[in-house]
Short mmCIF file of all heavy atoms in Angstrom, two decimals:
data_model
loop_
_atom_site.label_atom_id
_atom_site.label_comp_id
_atom_site.label_asym_id
_atom_site.label_seq_id
_atom_site.Cartn_x
_atom_site.Cartn_y
_atom_site.Cartn_z
N THR A 23 -166.32 -157.65 8.80
CA THR A 23 -166.86 -158.32 9.99
C THR A 23 -168.18 -158.97 9.66
O THR A 23 -169.00 -158.40 8.94
CB THR A 23 -167.12 -157.33 11.14
OG1 THR A 23 -165.84 -156.73 11.50
CG2 THR A 23 -167.65 -158.01 12.41
N LEU A 32 -173.97 -165.60 20.10
CA LEU A 32 -173.53 -164.67 19.05
C LEU A 32 -172.06 -164.91 18.76
O LEU A 32 -171.27 -165.13 19.65
CB LEU A 32 -173.70 -163.20 19.53
CG LEU A 32 -173.31 -162.15 18.50
CD1 LEU A 32 -174.47 -161.16 18.35
CD2 LEU A 32 -172.06 -161.41 18.94
N MET A 34 -168.86 -163.36 16.22
CA MET A 34 -168.46 -162.33 15.38
C MET A 34 -167.06 -162.67 14.76
O MET A 34 -166.16 -163.08 15.54
CB MET A 34 -168.31 -160.98 16.14
CG MET A 34 -167.98 -159.85 15.32
SD MET A 34 -168.04 -158.25 16.18
CE MET A 34 -166.54 -158.31 17.08
N THR A 36 -163.98 -161.26 12.33
CA THR A 36 -163.42 -160.07 11.73
C THR A 36 -162.13 -160.45 11.03
O THR A 36 -161.34 -161.25 11.58
CB THR A 36 -163.06 -159.02 12.77
OG1 THR A 36 -164.23 -158.72 13.52
CG2 THR A 36 -162.60 -157.72 12.16
N ASN A 46 -158.31 -153.86 16.22
CA ASN A 46 -158.99 -152.57 16.12
C ASN A 46 -160.38 -152.69 15.55
O ASN A 46 -161.31 -152.15 16.17
CB ASN A 46 -158.12 -151.61 15.21
CG ASN A 46 -158.67 -150.20 15.27
OD1 ASN A 46 -159.08 -149.69 16.31
ND2 ASN A 46 -158.65 -149.58 14.12
N TYR A 47 -160.59 -153.34 14.43
CA TYR A 47 -161.87 -153.53 13.84
C TYR A 47 -162.81 -154.27 14.78
O TYR A 47 -164.03 -153.92 14.93
CB TYR A 47 -161.84 -154.30 12.51
CG TYR A 47 -161.36 -153.42 11.38
CD1 TYR A 47 -160.35 -153.97 10.55
CD2 TYR A 47 -161.78 -152.16 11.10
CE1 TYR A 47 -159.85 -153.21 9.46
CE2 TYR A 47 -161.32 -151.43 10.05
CZ TYR A 47 -160.36 -151.97 9.21
OH TYR A 47 -159.87 -151.23 8.18
N THR A 48 -162.29 -155.28 15.47
CA THR A 48 -163.15 -156.08 16.39
C THR A 48 -163.68 -155.21 17.52
O THR A 48 -164.85 -155.28 17.86
CB THR A 48 -162.34 -157.26 16.92
OG1 THR A 48 -161.95 -158.12 15.84
CG2 THR A 48 -163.17 -158.13 17.89
N ASN A 49 -162.77 -154.38 18.11
CA ASN A 49 -163.22 -153.51 19.19
C ASN A 49 -164.23 -152.50 18.72
O ASN A 49 -165.20 -152.22 19.43
CB ASN A 49 -162.02 -152.83 19.82
CG ASN A 49 -161.34 -153.72 20.85
OD1 ASN A 49 -161.94 -154.17 21.79
ND2 ASN A 49 -160.07 -154.00 20.67
N ILE A 50 -164.05 -151.94 17.53
CA ILE A 50 -165.00 -150.96 16.97
C ILE A 50 -166.39 -151.62 16.76
O ILE A 50 -167.41 -151.11 17.21
CB ILE A 50 -164.48 -150.36 15.71
CG1 ILE A 50 -163.28 -149.41 15.95
CG2 ILE A 50 -165.59 -149.59 14.94
CD1 ILE A 50 -162.51 -149.04 14.71
N GLU A 51 -166.36 -152.76 16.11
CA GLU A 51 -167.65 -153.47 15.83
C GLU A 51 -168.32 -153.95 17.08
O GLU A 51 -169.53 -153.88 17.24
CB GLU A 51 -167.42 -154.59 14.82
CG GLU A 51 -166.96 -154.13 13.46
CD GLU A 51 -167.92 -153.15 12.80
OE1 GLU A 51 -169.13 -153.36 12.91
OE2 GLU A 51 -167.40 -152.18 12.15
N LEU A 52 -167.55 -154.48 17.99
CA LEU A 52 -168.14 -155.00 19.28
C LEU A 52 -168.75 -153.86 20.09
O LEU A 52 -169.82 -154.01 20.67
CB LEU A 52 -167.07 -155.74 20.10
CG LEU A 52 -167.62 -156.47 21.36
CD1 LEU A 52 -168.72 -157.48 20.93
CD2 LEU A 52 -166.48 -157.23 22.01
N SER A 53 -168.12 -152.70 19.99
CA SER A 53 -168.65 -151.48 20.66
C SER A 53 -170.01 -151.13 20.07
O SER A 53 -170.95 -150.80 20.77
CB SER A 53 -167.66 -150.35 20.54
OG SER A 53 -168.16 -149.19 21.12
N LYS A 54 -170.09 -151.22 18.75
CA LYS A 54 -171.42 -150.92 18.07
C LYS A 54 -172.46 -151.93 18.48
O LYS A 54 -173.60 -151.54 18.78
CB LYS A 54 -171.22 -150.99 16.56
CG LYS A 54 -170.44 -149.86 15.96
CD LYS A 54 -170.28 -150.07 14.44
CE LYS A 54 -169.33 -149.08 13.84
NZ LYS A 54 -169.15 -149.36 12.39
N ILE A 55 -172.11 -153.22 18.52
CA ILE A 55 -173.07 -154.27 18.86
C ILE A 55 -173.50 -154.10 20.34
O ILE A 55 -174.68 -154.21 20.66
CB ILE A 55 -172.45 -155.65 18.65
CG1 ILE A 55 -172.27 -155.90 17.12
CG2 ILE A 55 -173.33 -156.77 19.29
CD1 ILE A 55 -171.43 -157.12 16.82
N ASN A 56 -172.53 -153.75 21.22
CA ASN A 56 -172.85 -153.59 22.64
C ASN A 56 -173.76 -152.37 22.83
O ASN A 56 -174.62 -152.34 23.67
CB ASN A 56 -171.53 -153.49 23.42
CG ASN A 56 -171.73 -153.86 24.85
OD1 ASN A 56 -172.58 -154.70 25.18
ND2 ASN A 56 -170.90 -153.29 25.71
N GLY A 57 -173.51 -151.29 22.04
CA GLY A 57 -174.38 -150.12 22.07
C GLY A 57 -175.80 -150.44 21.71
O GLY A 57 -176.77 -150.03 22.35
N TRP A 58 -175.93 -151.24 20.59
CA TRP A 58 -177.27 -151.69 20.23
C TRP A 58 -177.95 -152.51 21.31
O TRP A 58 -179.12 -152.34 21.61
CB TRP A 58 -177.16 -152.48 18.88
CG TRP A 58 -178.45 -153.08 18.53
CD1 TRP A 58 -179.43 -152.54 17.73
CD2 TRP A 58 -178.98 -154.40 18.90
NE1 TRP A 58 -180.51 -153.42 17.58
CE2 TRP A 58 -180.23 -154.53 18.35
CE3 TRP A 58 -178.47 -155.40 19.71
CZ2 TRP A 58 -181.04 -155.67 18.52
CZ3 TRP A 58 -179.29 -156.55 19.91
CH2 TRP A 58 -180.53 -156.66 19.30
N PHE A 66 -174.53 -158.31 27.38
CA PHE A 66 -173.73 -159.49 27.08
C PHE A 66 -172.88 -159.80 28.28
O PHE A 66 -172.38 -158.91 29.00
CB PHE A 66 -172.76 -159.19 25.91
CG PHE A 66 -173.48 -159.03 24.59
CD1 PHE A 66 -173.52 -157.80 23.92
CD2 PHE A 66 -174.13 -160.12 24.02
CE1 PHE A 66 -174.18 -157.68 22.73
CE2 PHE A 66 -174.84 -159.99 22.81
CZ PHE A 66 -174.83 -158.75 22.18
N SER A 71 -167.99 -164.51 27.58
CA SER A 71 -167.54 -164.18 26.22
C SER A 71 -166.04 -164.34 26.07
O SER A 71 -165.25 -164.11 27.02
CB SER A 71 -167.85 -162.70 25.91
OG SER A 71 -169.27 -162.47 26.00
N VAL A 89 -159.47 -157.53 23.24
CA VAL A 89 -160.82 -157.12 22.83
C VAL A 89 -161.59 -156.86 24.10
O VAL A 89 -161.58 -157.69 25.04
CB VAL A 89 -161.51 -158.19 21.98
CG1 VAL A 89 -162.92 -157.81 21.68
CG2 VAL A 89 -160.70 -158.48 20.70
N ASP A 90 -162.20 -155.66 24.21
CA ASP A 90 -162.92 -155.32 25.38
C ASP A 90 -164.44 -155.38 25.24
O ASP A 90 -164.98 -155.05 24.18
CB ASP A 90 -162.57 -153.89 25.79
CG ASP A 90 -161.15 -153.76 26.16
OD1 ASP A 90 -160.63 -154.67 26.80
OD2 ASP A 90 -160.53 -152.72 25.80
N LEU A 91 -165.09 -155.82 26.30
CA LEU A 91 -166.53 -155.85 26.37
C LEU A 91 -166.92 -155.33 27.72
O LEU A 91 -166.39 -155.84 28.74
CB LEU A 91 -167.11 -157.27 26.16
CG LEU A 91 -168.61 -157.44 26.23
CD1 LEU A 91 -169.38 -156.61 25.20
CD2 LEU A 91 -169.00 -158.89 26.15
N ASN A 92 -167.83 -154.33 27.75
CA ASN A 92 -168.17 -153.71 29.08
C ASN A 92 -166.94 -153.18 29.80
O ASN A 92 -166.81 -153.34 31.02
CB ASN A 92 -168.94 -154.64 29.97
CG ASN A 92 -170.22 -155.13 29.32
OD1 ASN A 92 -170.87 -154.44 28.56
ND2 ASN A 92 -170.58 -156.41 29.55
N LEU A 96 -161.58 -159.34 27.20
CA LEU A 96 -162.11 -160.71 27.09
C LEU A 96 -160.95 -161.70 27.17
O LEU A 96 -159.85 -161.42 26.69
CB LEU A 96 -162.87 -160.94 25.77
CG LEU A 96 -164.11 -160.05 25.56
CD1 LEU A 96 -164.76 -160.40 24.22
CD2 LEU A 96 -165.11 -160.34 26.69
#
Side-chain angles (χ1 to χ4, degrees):
T23 302
L32 181 128
M34 183 173 77
T36 305
N46 187 40
Y47 286 132
T48 301
N49 277 303
I50 290 167
E51 296 302 320
L52 190 55
S53 178
K54 290 177 189 175
I55 292 168
N56 205 28
W58 173 89
F66 292 115
S71 300
V89 176
D90 295 323
L91 178 63
N92 301 327
L96 297 180

